[in-house]
Amino acid sequence: MCGIVASIQADRDANSAAVEIHDALYILQHRGQDACGIMSCTSNGRIYQCKGNGMASKVFHDGARVVELPGFMALAHLRYPTSGSRHANNAEAQPFYVNAPHGLGFSHNGNLVNAEELKRYLDQDAHRHINTDSDSELMLNIFASELEETNKARVNAQDCFAALERMYKRCVGGWACVAMIAGYGIMGFRDSYGIRPLVLGWKESPSGTGMDYMLASESVALESCGYRNFKDIKPGEAVIIRKATIKEPLQEPIYHQVETQKAYTPDIFEYVYFARPSSTIDGISVYRSRQEMGYKLAERIRSQLGPRKLKEIDVVIPIPETSLISAYAVSKSLKKPYCQAFEKNRYIFRTFIMPNQKQRQKGVRAKLIAIPLEFQNRNVLLVDDSIVRGTTSREIVSMAREAGAKKVYFASCAPPITHAHIYGIDLASTSELIAYHRSSDDIAKHITADGVIYQELDDLVSACASLSPRLPSEQKFEVGVFCGRYVTPVSDGYFQHLEQLRGESKVMKKIEEARQAVMQGVAGAEEVRLASSGAVVDEYGNIFPASKEAAAEQKNAGSGVNGTIGTTETSDKTQRVNSDAQIRISQSQDISLHNLNDYERS
């Protein structure tokens, strides 16, 4: 899950595109808190960029650095940690940039399921260097390579669309992207299944001539910037908005069906959790969809608990904030009092996107505070949007009991999450999912609840489809996390590869934690071994301390394709990760323009 934005202003002398985009980033901050960046372009084609790890307020110094990003067009990105994000420096912060051909900026939301194949193609055939583990950089370089085939000094819209058509034939997965071509314009495009969202908005230019345009992941970002006219980019569709010229001061968007629409299946998790309730995605109101989820869930609760247990429930309590709307609908349908008995600390990260389990557990207590008056001697029904690992749910149930609740029932607006998400939302490793090979009763015991009630998948789909501007009977969604049936083809071995990537990411974090423990003098024997010898990751992502012999072999292993250092494949399909590979670079620079840590500021 990421947030993307792009903007182009009719007035080429305007220098406020980055200012407008900066405002939009705060509206989309919920989509990613790991890193962010803005890239802008002036009328003479000069590119400016600022990006780095952290939230928008940190990276842009509460807006102070936005003045360093002049230009009439810009694009931006918000990122959260994914399975391929192994390094702590800002090299993977987006937008990405390549200078050839024509100077391309790129922001990507989604995931490619054939990334390894694309890496080999770029290395062996296109001869393009890949500097990070991000599949976003892969996609940018595939597009750049195809656009370079025109062999022209200046490209037009047809050249760009043709390059995109060839890129779509190579890339498999789900994506929504925005791009910028220096001195030419901006573009946006979406996968042919419509998995990741993208919407275009327009308004009259303050200059009085022409229109300003903005592309964003959610309509709420456009509305906050004064855009009142919207159009969803359709599956497989691309749009290009060229800069205004003296001869053509009124540039209209150019739309093109890059690839035939294979389906119209937005990711249903956007409606369950990720999107803001004030957004409308593909014509479906997120707010209304959550209301409908609540009504459907109430019927499920009524059926599963039965009259006796249902009568025992004294109050319906939402888990802030995503479930507020659904929980209220549950309370209305069940005719039970509704009470916001958890106070939320608004000045903390969303715990779902915290990078490890311990931080998530600690984060729950920091994020939520129970109000004892609403729990004492009451049987409570807690309603949350979903249950992923169970970490948050277990802590919340514990907090409810500590506040005095007699019985605690837990209801989820989403069905059991049993499979990996492969289109840009890194929920968890399959083995970390609490519903993986567990029944509702087992889950209730694990989170110490008196009962767990899950939404039925058919009811969830119906709740969202009933609001679609398309025929509800024909409206489908990407629901692979609940049933394992994904809308795109998935190659054999991909999930094994995904687990191994996650394992490598986890082990490098463990090594870093071990190094810190050694430096602070509080390390145990295993932490000393990890810090000195590294670790081994098997093909399923399991982590084992490496032997001294393994560490020595790793040290002599050299580098891999495109200079990737720190892992090597052995005959038993394990990956050895050396502690030296996890040195955190606090003052890092990547090769593209100026970034957050390029110089110090007082």
Side-chain angles (χ1 to χ4, degrees), residues 209-423:
T209 302
M211 306 292 286
D212 292 346
Y213 294 91
M214 179 180 278
L215 287 152
S217 297
E218 296 183 36
S219 61
V220 64
L222 305 179
E223 289 182 295
S224 72
C225 295
Y227 293 85
R228 296 293 178 263
N229 303 296
F230 310 121
K231 179 190 183 300
D232 289 303
I233 303 303
K234 298 295 188 292
E237 186 178 49
V239 60
I240 291 177
I241 304 118
R242 299 164 296 165
K243 72 175 183 181
T245 64
I246 296 174
K247 292 182 178 179
E248 297 180 273
L250 300 172
Q251 294 285 19
E252 294 286 333
I254 304 171
Y255 299 95
H256 180 72
Q257 195 67 33
V258 174
E259 188 172 68
T260 302
Q261 179 176 311
K262 296 176 181 175
Y264 207 138
T265 52
D267 188 344
I268 207 162
F269 236 93
E270 291 283 353
Y271 304 98
V272 170
Y273 177 77
F274 292 115
R276 291 182 68 140
S278 46
S279 288
T280 297
I281 294 177
D282 291 308
I284 300 173
S285 163
V286 176
Y287 179 87
R288 291 294 185 204
S289 70
R290 290 178 185 169
Q291 280 185 324
E292 292 298 318
M293 288 176 210
Y295 294 132
K296 296 284 187 184
L297 181 59
E299 291 304 311
R300 177 67 177 161
I301 293 167
R302 189 178 282 112
S303 171
Q304 184 170 326
L305 292 186
R308 184 179 62 82
K309 288 184 179 178
L310 192 61
K311 189 176 180 180
E312 291 179 350
I313 293 175
D314 296 308
V315 64
V316 175
I317 297 174
I319 309 304
E321 288 181 347
T322 320
S323 66
L324 295 179
I325 300 162
S326 298
Y328 184 65
V330 168
S331 73
K332 283 177 62 180
S333 182
L334 297 180
K335 296 181 171 57
K336 297 288 182 179
Y338 170 83
C339 176
Q340 294 189 31
F342 284 105
E343 178 189 1
K344 182 175 180 181
N345 178 0
R346 298 179 185 275
Y347 305 100
I348 190 169
F349 293 98
R350 287 176 99 167
T351 55
F352 161 72
I353 55 179
M354 286 183 173
N356 62 55
Q357 192 85 333
K358 284 186 178 180
Q359 287 183 350
R360 282 188 290 272
Q361 287 175 320
K362 185 178 179 181
V364 174
R365 296 273 177 169
K367 183 178 77 169
L368 296 177
I369 300 171
I371 303 173
L373 288 173
E374 299 295 348
F375 287 96
Q376 288 172 0
N377 299 316
R378 302 176 93 178
N379 299 320
V380 300
L381 173 62
L382 305 181
V383 178
D384 206 351
D385 52 78
S386 58
I387 306 174
V388 182
R389 298 173 181 86
T391 308
T392 300
S393 306
R394 185 183 177 92
E395 289 295 320
I396 287 170
V397 171
S398 178
M399 291 167 66
R401 294 198 187 280
E402 290 169 11
K406 291 191 297 183
K407 289 186 177 181
V408 181
Y409 295 95
F410 204 102
S412 168
C413 294
I417 299 171
T418 54
H419 292 76
H421 196 291
I422 63 173
Y423 302 116

Side-chain angles (χ1 to χ4, degrees), residues 70-87:
F72 71 102
M73 60 180 178
L75 70 161
H77 188 269
L78 293 157
R79 190 188 71 129
Y80 83 110
T82 62
S83 56
S85 306
R86 308 183 206 172
H87 302 294

Side-chain angles (χ1 to χ4, degrees), residues 5 38 74 89 119 139 240 263 348 390 397 423 457 463 484 531 544 564 567 594:
V5 193
I38 296 176
N89 62 50
K119 283 181 186 177
M139 199 170 199
I240 291 177
I348 190 169
V397 171
Y423 302 116
L457 180 55
F544 307 96
T564 303
T567 62
H594 90 174

